Amino acid sequence: MNDFSAEAMGLVIREHRQAQSPSMTQEELAERADYGKGGAVSISRIERGLVSPGEHRLAAIALAFQLTPEQLKQEAEDRTRSLARQRGQRPVKLRDQVAETKRRHAEINEKAAQRSKITQEHGEAFNHVHDVARDEFFLRFVELAESISGAPEPERPSEEEIERTGEIPTAIRIEAMSVGIANAIRGAAAGGAAGVAAGGAAAYGAFTAAALFGTASTGAAISTLSGVAATNATLALLGGGTLAAGGAGMAGGTLLLTGMVAAPAAALAAAGFYVLRQRRNKKEEERLRTEVEAAEAALDQSQQGFDAMIDVLDRAPAIMEYVSVHGTHALEKWRASLPPEPRDWESLGHEGQERYKEFLTVAGCLLAVSSINVSALLTAKPDALPEMDKAIDETLRYADKTIKSLV
């Protein structure tokens, strides 16, 4: 768990940015940290203490300052302790205490509102890119694949691999998902109900459900293989919920989080009327201050999970967008090379067969990225977050590298 606050890290980054010669703008820092279009908004939110950068972003920011991530972290830890000492010095007069508590109450409400706004913006952007990749690549591939009869069943992850690794690594999880997709395609081609004829999101839901809940060679559900041992609920989860029900991406789950991130502010509602009073007695002040401190602590404790969630919603769309652009282009070239219908597996030739297998892998990667369970990050206990964050980072990195090597 981080030993620095988002506020402290934001102050440190802002000071280093402004200390450059000449002073670096937020736009320039965003460009150097590879935030992409609109990145200055992300840098602004970091400097205001609303979001703390993930490990890979922090490394890029540190490099822009010719520092190491460890140096920035140490400075942020020192600043966190300094801020805590400053805030530990309470005003003596009741009037000043009331003013300070009122200010802190306003800050909590503003931070909660900003979290909700940030979550909604990232969730909506994620959903848009996800739906384009689903429609432009995934379902188009399924439609073409269904027209090929006799496609062999892909090799399943071996029991030896599973037993040797103990916990299923990203490569095996994605391989298992690709097998599930292939089997759904085979079933649809044989007259099953999972085909694209079912229409858009419903078809996607059918195929994702097949990938998530199909069976492996051991007879165990593939969905259970994604989270062996204690990490079952914390690894980059393979969907379920909204996806299996109809392919809605994160539209349901993520946007519901806007209520979750505002919860600490809601806890102040009972005492909120005191804030409106310019004068209150010592007992009333103590009561409100205690609740304000509890809300501040709740926000602080959820900060790391919130940061991890935003990091996923920031990184995943870039991977899905790559699929929707380059994957779709590669898919169109493959379609043009296919023999006329009716077509069978042998008619594809070796090159066409290998391309089919590669597209299956890309589809598995896309599904793994689009169905990471971000809501689990907000509700996870602090000691579970590092393992969750590591597993999700592995999924994103592996999927990105694999997709770019194939399309």
Side-chain angles (χ1 to χ4, degrees):
M1 184 176 179
N2 293 333
D3 294 322
F4 56 83
S5 67
E7 178 187 12
M9 178 58 79
L11 291 172
V12 167
I13 289 175
R14 183 177 65 189
E15 290 167 1
H16 276 290
R17 178 180 61 79
Q18 294 176 340
Q20 301 300 302
S21 183
S23 179
M24 189 185 298
T25 66
Q26 291 179 336
E27 289 81 0
E28 290 170 336
L29 179 56
E31 183 177 353
R32 296 191 187 190
D34 198 28
Y35 269 93
K37 185 178 180 181
V41 174
S42 296
I43 298 299
S44 173
R45 285 169 172 169
I46 288 171
E47 293 184 352
R48 290 158 57 199
L50 296 173
V51 181
S52 191
E55 290 292 333
H56 72 293
R57 295 291 193 201
L58 186 62
I61 290 172
L63 183 62
F65 299 147
Q66 297 185 327
L67 299 171
T68 66
E70 289 68 29
Q71 286 175 306
L72 286 180
K73 289 180 181 179
Q74 185 59 59
E75 290 186 37
E77 289 176 13
D78 295 340
R79 182 61 61 86
T80 299
R81 288 190 289 270
S82 175
L83 292 171
R85 286 194 297 270
Q86 292 175 21
R87 286 166 182 163
Q89 301 171 358
R90 289 184 58 203
V92 176
K93 295 182 179 179
L94 178 60
R95 179 182 61 188
D96 295 335
Q97 292 177 8
V98 168
E100 181 194 35
T101 302
K102 183 178 180 180
R103 175 188 59 77
R104 290 165 67 182
H105 181 275
E107 286 179 354
I108 292 169
N109 279 285
E110 174 61 19
K111 188 171 185 177
Q114 286 296 321
R115 278 197 185 184
S116 182
K117 179 181 179 182
I118 292 168
T119 302
Q120 184 163 357
E121 289 176 355
H122 278 74
E124 289 176 347
F126 181 103
N127 288 337
H128 173 71
V129 177
H130 163 272
D131 290 351
V132 172
R134 176 198 66 198
D135 296 341
E136 297 296 321
F137 174 80
F138 193 100
L139 292 179
R140 286 187 180 183
F141 167 64
V142 166
E143 185 176 17
L144 284 173
E146 284 182 5
S147 71
I148 302 169
S149 62
E153 181 178 350
E155 293 184 8
R156 304 171 184 269
S158 69
E159 294 181 29
E160 290 75 16
E161 286 180 296
I162 295 172
E163 291 176 359
R164 184 175 64 251
T165 56
E167 293 181 355
I168 308 304
T170 298
I172 296 179
R173 291 203 308 276
I174 290 178
E175 184 181 356
M177 297 172 83
S178 298
V179 169
I181 295 169
N183 286 336
I185 291 172
R186 284 155 50 87
V196 292
Y204 185 60
F207 278 92
T208 54
L212 305 179
F213 305 115
T215 57
S217 57
T218 59
I222 285 176
S223 58
T224 65
L225 298 181
S226 66
V228 175
T231 60
N232 183 40
T234 59
L235 288 175
L237 300 185
L238 307 181
T242 56
L243 279 176
M250 291 191 181
T254 300
L255 297 186
L256 287 177
L257 297 177
T258 58
M260 294 173 60
V261 296
L268 295 177
F273 72 93
Y274 287 128
V275 177
L276 302 177
R277 296 170 55 175
Q278 294 299 319
R279 301 183 63 181
R280 53 181 175 264
N281 61 42
K282 187 174 181 179
K283 184 176 181 181
E284 292 171 341
E285 163 59 22
E286 288 292 335
R287 174 186 172 186
L288 181 57
R289 181 174 61 82
T290 298
E291 296 197 17
V292 165
E293 289 174 349
E296 287 174 335
L299 281 172
D300 289 343
Q301 290 170 4
S302 63
Q303 183 72 51
Q304 192 172 1
F306 177 75
D307 293 337
M309 179 189 74
I310 295 303
D311 187 56
V312 173
L313 295 180
D314 182 48
R315 295 169 62 189
I319 298 173
M320 294 188 291
E321 186 172 20
Y322 189 94
V323 172
S324 67
V325 174
H326 299 282
T328 300
H329 178 69
L331 191 64
E332 180 59 26
K333 288 181 62 177
W334 183 61
R335 184 198 65 77
S337 71
L338 292 175
E341 295 189 57
R343 56 177 73 102
D344 60 27
W345 180 250
E346 295 302 325
S347 69
L348 268 61
H350 177 73
E351 185 175 345
Q353 292 171 356
E354 289 302 307
R355 208 59 176 138
Y356 172 93
K357 296 174 184 177
E358 290 171 350
F359 286 134
L360 266 181
T361 299
V362 173
C365 289
L366 178 63
L367 181 54
V369 170
S370 65
S371 52
I372 291 173
N373 188 352
V374 294
S375 62
L377 292 167
L378 277 184
T379 57
K381 295 181 179 179
D383 58 355
L385 278 171
E387 185 176 4
M388 294 173 66
D389 202 28
K390 179 181 178 181
I392 290 173
D393 180 68
E394 178 188 321
T395 295
L396 293 173
R397 289 178 183 275
Y398 180 86
D400 185 51
K401 180 181 178 180
T402 301
I403 289 168
K404 289 179 178 176
S405 72
L406 297 177
V407 297

